[in-house]
Amino acid sequence: MRRPEKFLLGFLIISFVWTWQISKIIQPIHNPSNDGLKSFRDKSTTNNPVNNESQLVDLRYQNDMQRSRSTSIYPSNDGLNSFRAMVTTTTQPNANIQSQIKELQYQNDMLRARPSPIQGPVALNKLSKTDQAEFAKYGMTLKFDKENWNNGIGKQGMDFVPALVSEKKLMQRTRIGGWEKVWSSELVDALIVAVKRGEDIGPNSFPGCALQIRAAMEDYVITMSSPTAVFGMSTSATSTKSKRYLVSGSVSPWIESMILALTSTSKVYVTDYEPITSQDDRIIFIPMSELTSHRPAQLFDVIFSFSTVEHDGLGRQGDAINPHGDLAAMTEYYTLLSPNGILILGTPQLDKELGLVESNRFRLYSPERMSILIKGFEKLGEVMYNSTELADRFQKPIRTVMVKYPMQRQPVWILRKMIHELPLLLEDNKILGKEIQANKQTSKDVLFTRPPLESIINKTTYSVTGDVSWLLDFSVVGFPKCGTTTMMETLKTNETFVLEKERCDLTANRSEMLAESLYTEAPPDPHLKRGIKCPQDLENHYSHWSYAKRYHKAILIIMIRHPIKWFQSLYNFRIREYYPTTMPETHKMTKGCFKGMQGACADRANFHDFLWRLGKTDGVISAMTLPWKEALKIPENKLLSLVRKKPQLYPSKTAIFIAHTEQLARNVNDTRLSQFTSDVQSFLGLKHAISDMHHISPTKNSQKNKKVRENIEKRVINICDEDHVIIRKKLLDISQRASEWIRTYFLASPDVVVSSKEYFLEILKEWERDPCDDNNVIK
């Protein structure tokens, strides 16, 4: 035999031997036996040089992805029994990294080894009763029909794409009634131009949806990182340039085009069960199978999902049947998002006790199911479908379309990934087959682990970089000289933690200072209610922005007082506080506050104007500059036009408790005072009753010597004196307008709570009268 032939034969023999030996090692690792952990531990993976920490991160990512697709209808595996005892120790921070890799790899493989017994696609009415029962869990009911089912391919009508796409034939129809997902640069450019013209480029079947998405982007993606953008200043281009965007589920690139048009990013990623051919370099398609099996090099900052999760797991898009596919999709979004990442979610909802699974077509969500669906996320806000508000905001009419189904009008929710709470399918007790009532739990009942301080605050740039909403539960936000000190001292109980002194960090746009104080000074007890007091918060636009965007979980307590009595109290307080500095004469204080007034001026008595900025009155202006009787007769459309000339509005779902100083007075009957403290206790969610009011006056006068005190008392005013008629007349006009506005509009909001409402209304009615008419002296 010639030498070349001998060499070749030897090479083949050696290759065969090596292949046989390697296969013996690899096979048991990727196909773990039912013996479980023991046989797996014997196989060493340390022979290959790998980055252990990187491998660990990748395995955890794969593990979470596999858990998201695991439901209780999956068959159990004998190998899981031996693994259950170990699962709680696999991710302990003190464990050896290599050991964690082995444990997580085993867990990941075991989860992969549990395929669903339901192969898709298949009509749901063909399933067994046991499998059908899975669709009715967690607040849902199952309904069968035969529409829109074509062996796993849902029909996609002409109205599934934007009007200009079908009109200009920028996409082609398929033979079976769908759309070819081939996206040309011509298509993307046409949509971008339409976005810049302010057009609604959403699919025809969802009128106004593109404007909903745009409003969510403008309010929570483009402007979220900087309050100055909300106050009317332009947003820096770099604020959105570095973000990574992912769109989940697309027939046409309408959301992708909006992202390219409204942000500074140059690339948008899209994922889907069906393949998408993007002929435009700005849009990159990633198959869903690739995302669920391999962790991307960088996680995503913002994910968009509109009319997608309600179809997941129903087989309509050719995907496998999964009763909880929507929960799986939300778990995948959670895993794909970077810390504090944003999810913009559009889903159809019903205002009913139970949601509905419309056969293989879609789900309609009840409030209960929505609370389960978004577990692991924090709701920042929502953009409801409202043709009038959307048309008014963007100055564009909304397309008129016959609405056949509730899913055609979908609320858009803005959600943020929470660090200290997991989605339902990532909880160990769910994965190990233990039933839990997620809808009955609150985030306080889940084991709370505080995130590191450096993950939410950047001390180098002095900025908030993470979720700080969980740090603040309640705040006394106004108004000065209205009993705020008494209220705050009363709220210091065994169930609360209150920062000492007034903390007005938000008025200076220093959220990071407040967050750091709450983090470092408050005990790390998740059941403890954290609170602050700053009577000036309602008068400051930075504070309004912070409560709407960063501390939106905090409920607000507001104290008010008759403006005439308020002015006298504040004026005399400043005399005592700034002695021997003299205060201006009261007739010079009928307008805004100027130097030397120490913040005592008539404009600050417009309590209703500051209350209006909370956005609880559906666009009705406070009419601060209008005669109070005339302001209430202005048509609604005129009111809306005047709103744009007012200071910025910061609407939120924050609950508000409003009270009057008279309700804290010592001479209030015991029944009313007892009812008041009981209502405050209920509002804050405290388990134990609040003790009696601790009446406290924050004046510094008691610390001065007798002679100084006598000189100070000579300077204090009695506003009922003739010298103060001018300021009293101005304040009475403000009182009348404020009284009518608060009673008519503010108290009508479902978010506003008041104790002893009839008594409260009686007090406000007295604002229309000058208190000096009854007494020559006001106390």
Side-chain angles (χ1 to χ4, degrees):
M1 187 179 294
R2 290 179 295 179
R3 180 173 296 180
E5 293 174 344
K6 290 181 179 180
F7 178 83
L8 179 60
L9 179 60
F11 177 80
L12 291 174
I13 292 173
I14 293 172
S15 299
F16 174 79
V17 173
W18 272 102
T19 302
W20 176 66
Q21 291 291 337
I22 291 173
S23 65
K24 288 175 64 179
I25 296 174
I26 293 178
Q27 185 175 357
I29 293 179
H30 290 283
N31 298 281
S33 65
N34 287 343
D35 290 341
L37 209 53
K38 185 177 184 301
S39 62
F40 173 75
R41 280 180 171 168
D42 294 336
K43 303 300 178 182
S44 173
T45 58
T46 58
N47 294 331
N48 296 323
V50 294
N51 185 315
N52 288 341
E53 293 185 359
S54 175
Q55 185 179 359
L56 180 60
V57 170
D58 187 66
L59 288 173
R60 282 176 173 165
Y61 173 87
Q62 293 180 40
N63 182 27
D64 287 349
M65 279 299 184
Q66 290 302 313
R67 284 187 177 194
S68 73
R69 290 298 175 186
S70 303
T71 66
S72 57
I73 67 170
Y74 286 13
S76 63
N77 189 301
D78 292 339
L80 188 60
N81 294 330
S82 62
F83 177 67
R84 283 179 176 173
M86 303 296 301
V87 71
T88 57
T89 63
T90 58
T91 57
Q92 293 298 321
N94 296 329
N96 179 271
I97 290 181
Q98 188 62 37
S99 176
Q100 290 185 54
I101 291 174
K102 290 181 180 181
E103 300 287 356
L104 288 168
Q105 180 68 64
Y106 178 85
Q107 184 180 4
N108 185 38
D109 290 345
M110 194 61 75
L111 288 164
R112 287 186 179 186
R114 290 182 281 160
S116 169
I118 304 177
Q119 300 300 320
V122 63
L124 298 190
N125 58 0
K126 303 295 184 182
L127 299 178
S128 68
K129 296 297 183 182
T130 301
D131 291 340
Q132 289 178 4
E134 285 292 324
F135 286 89
K137 281 189 174 183
Y138 303 118
M140 301 294 277
T141 56
L142 180 58
K143 173 185 175 182
F144 298 116
D145 63 38
K146 296 182 180 179
E147 295 183 21
N148 288 338
W149 179 250
N150 186 22
N151 294 324
I153 302 176
K155 295 179 181 178
Q156 297 172 347
M158 298 294 290
D159 55 359
F160 271 57
V161 297
L164 70 87
V165 173
S166 55
E167 291 170 0
K168 297 183 179 182
K169 298 182 178 180
L170 296 173
M171 290 177 63
Q172 302 299 317
R173 297 283 285 167
T174 63
R175 293 181 180 179
I176 57 175
W179 289 93
E180 288 187 0
K181 295 187 178 181
V182 179
W183 299 347
S184 64
S185 294
E186 179 186 4
L187 165 64
V188 176
D189 288 337
L191 290 171
I192 289 176
V193 170
V195 173
K196 292 183 177 180
R197 287 201 299 261
E199 297 179 10
D200 178 11
I201 66 163
N204 278 339
S205 55
F206 301 98
C209 65
L211 300 184
Q212 288 177 271
I213 296 292
R214 181 166 188 161
M217 291 180 65
E218 290 181 353
D219 293 345
Y220 294 94
V221 176
I222 299 174
T223 63
M224 191 66 179
S225 60
S226 173
T228 56
V230 181
F231 304 147
M233 299 173 63
S234 62
T235 307
S236 171
T238 58
S239 62
T240 58
K241 187 174 183 180
S242 60
K243 284 187 171 70
R244 283 169 56 86
Y245 301 89
L246 175 69
V247 180
S248 175
S250 288
V251 177
S252 66
W254 64 278
I255 295 181
E256 293 83 346
S257 300
M258 291 182 67
I259 297 170
L260 292 170
L262 299 176
T263 71
S264 304
T265 190
S266 59
K267 291 186 184 298
V268 177
Y269 297 87
V270 59
T271 187
D272 204 309
Y273 287 115
E274 300 176 340
I276 296 175
T277 302
S278 175
Q279 299 174 345
D280 192 301
D281 294 338
R282 294 168 293 184
I283 299 178
I284 301 172
F285 171 66
I286 307 176
M288 194 66 198
S289 58
E290 183 178 331
L291 280 179
T292 54
S293 60
H294 299 288
R295 185 180 190 272
Q298 286 182 284
L299 297 177
F300 297 94
D301 300 294
V302 186
I303 294 179
F304 294 80
S305 175
F306 184 86
S307 190
T308 298
V309 298
E310 68 267 23
H311 302 293
D312 201 300
L314 300 182
R316 190 170 181 269
Q317 306 301 329
D319 51 320
I321 299 297
N322 185 338
H324 309 305
D326 55 341
L327 301 180
M330 292 295 289
T331 304
E332 289 164 353
Y333 295 156
Y334 182 93
T335 309
L336 287 165
L337 279 169
S338 60
N340 301 300
I342 300 294
L343 171 62
I344 296 181
L345 177 72
T347 53
Q349 300 180 28
L350 291 174
D351 189 17
K352 295 183 178 180
E353 183 177 354
L354 294 177
L356 183 64
V357 180
E358 285 267 7
S359 194
N360 294 83
R361 296 166 63 198
F362 50 77
R363 299 176 181 87
L364 298 175
Y365 292 97
S366 64
E368 177 187 359
R369 180 71 174 198
M370 281 302 297
S371 67
I372 297 171
L373 187 71
I374 67 170
K375 196 172 190 316
F377 291 89
E378 169 193 8
K379 184 180 177 184
L380 301 181
E382 64 182 311
V383 182
M384 300 296 293
Y385 174 86
N386 186 307
S387 58
T388 303
E389 290 184 6
L390 290 172
D392 183 69
R393 173 168 178 167
F394 295 105
Q395 298 297 303
K396 291 287 181 180
I398 305 298
R399 289 177 284 106
T400 303
V401 177
M402 182 180 295
V403 177
K404 299 180 181 179
Y405 308 105
M407 70 170 298
Q408 289 182 264
R409 292 182 174 176
Q410 301 191 7
V412 172
W413 285 22
I414 300 88
L415 308 172
R416 177 161 54 193
K417 176 179 178 178
M418 297 176 69
I419 299 173
H420 53 276
E421 183 177 332
L422 294 174
L424 177 65
L425 296 186
L426 286 188
E427 293 183 337
D428 283 339
N429 49 0
K430 174 63 181 176
I431 300 308
L432 300 183
K434 299 177 183 177
E435 282 295 329
I436 61 171
Q437 296 295 325
N439 56 308
K440 302 299 183 183
Q441 288 186 332
T442 64
S443 59
K444 296 293 185 184
D445 296 325
V446 178
L447 180 61
F448 180 79
T449 302
R450 295 203 310 173
L453 180 61
E454 56 271 18
S455 70
I456 59 175
I457 299 173
N458 187 329
K459 292 188 177 182
T460 303
T461 59
Y462 299 101
S463 60
V464 174
T465 56
D467 175 22
V468 296
S469 61
W470 58 275
L471 285 169
L472 186 62
D473 296 294
F474 67 93
S475 180
V476 179
V477 293
F479 288 94
K481 304 310 297 175
C482 292
T484 56
T485 302
T486 295
M487 175 61 77
M488 182 52 76
E489 291 298 319
T490 302
L491 294 180
K492 292 181 179 180
T493 71
N494 293 332
E495 298 178 71
T496 62
F497 171 83
V498 180
L499 287 178
E500 293 297 327
K501 301 181 180 180
E502 292 182 1
R503 291 303 300 263
C504 294
D505 308 82
L506 300 183
T507 63
N509 195 23
R510 298 302 303 272
S511 292
E512 75 286 351
M513 292 182 65
L514 177 60
E516 184 175 7
S517 294
L518 289 168
Y519 189 100
T520 57
E521 297 180 31
D525 181 355
H527 299 283
L528 204 61
K529 305 285 186 181
R530 302 174 181 85
I532 63 169
K533 169 204 166 187
C534 178
Q536 293 83 35
D537 269 344
L538 283 187
E539 304 174 58
N540 184 274
H541 59 284
Y542 285 111
S543 296
H544 276 278
W545 183 89
S546 295
Y547 283 118
K549 303 295 184 182
R550 286 182 175 157
Y551 296 99
H552 52 276
K553 291 183 178 180
I555 54 180
L556 307 181
I557 297 175
I558 300 172
M559 304 296 301
I560 59 175
R561 190 178 192 177
H562 193 300
I564 292 178
K565 296 181 179 181
W566 165 85
F567 181 86
Q568 175 178 285
S569 178
L570 180 60
Y571 187 94
N572 289 338
F573 175 75
R574 295 306 189 208
I575 286 177
R576 296 184 176 102
E577 184 180 31
Y578 290 103
Y579 177 85
T581 304
T582 57
M583 292 285 288
E585 295 176 340
T586 58
H587 68 271
K588 298 179 180 179
M589 298 176 153
T590 57
K591 296 182 180 180
C593 290
F594 300 100
K595 186 177 181 180
M597 294 184 181
Q598 314 301 345
C601 62
D603 274 2
R604 292 187 68 193
N606 285 287
F607 301 144
H608 53 307
D609 182 64
F610 303 118
L611 294 174
W612 169 82
R613 299 183 195 181
L614 293 168
K616 302 296 184 182
T617 53
D618 295 327
V620 178
I621 65 171
S622 61
M624 181 178 72
T625 58
L626 301 174
W628 70 285
K629 290 290 186 184
E630 296 178 10
L632 301 176
K633 301 176 183 179
I634 299 176
E636 177 67 14
N637 59 347
K638 180 64 174 176
L639 289 176
L640 290 174
S641 66
L642 289 174
V643 164
R644 298 190 189 95
K645 300 177 183 179
K646 301 290 292 175
Q648 179 67 50
L649 186 69
Y650 302 98
S652 69
K653 293 296 182 181
T654 301
I656 293 172
F657 187 94
I658 187 169
H660 196 283
T661 308
E662 297 292 334
Q663 293 176 286
L664 308 183
R666 291 184 175 89
N667 58 356
V668 171
N669 68 56
D670 293 339
T671 302
R672 282 178 179 159
L673 189 59
S674 177
Q675 181 63 48
F676 182 83
T677 55
S678 176
D679 290 338
V680 173
Q681 173 196 344
S682 176
F683 181 73
L684 291 178
L686 303 179
K687 296 180 180 179
H688 303 289
I690 296 175
S691 60
D692 294 337
M693 289 289 163
H694 304 291
H695 294 88
I696 296 174
S697 176
T699 179
K700 299 179 182 179
N701 196 28
S702 59
Q703 301 175 4
K704 303 181 186 297
N705 59 53
K706 182 179 179 180
K707 185 175 181 179
V708 170
R709 290 200 301 270
E710 290 175 352
N711 290 334
I712 288 175
E713 293 307 313
K714 292 178 182 178
R715 295 188 181 187
V716 299
I717 67 169
N718 173 14
I719 201 168
C720 294
D721 291 345
E722 196 68 25
D723 294 340
H724 312 296
V725 171
I726 295 176
I727 187 68
R728 203 167 68 243
K729 181 179 179 182
K730 174 67 175 179
L731 291 169
L732 180 60
D733 180 63
I734 293 174
S735 302
Q736 292 169 340
R737 286 187 281 111
S739 170
E740 189 75 14
W741 187 89
I742 294 172
R743 286 182 288 127
T744 305
Y745 298 117
F746 194 68
L747 295 184
S749 170
D751 296 332
V752 177
V753 178
V754 64
S755 179
S756 303
K757 188 172 183 178
E758 292 184 3
Y759 177 55
F760 187 81
L761 291 173
E762 289 177 10
I763 298 173
L764 285 179
K765 189 68 176 175
E766 289 297 314
W767 283 24
E768 295 182 3
R769 300 175 61 253
D770 187 341
C772 293
D773 291 344
D774 300 325
N775 301 289
N776 293 325
V777 178
I778 294 178
K779 296 182 180 180

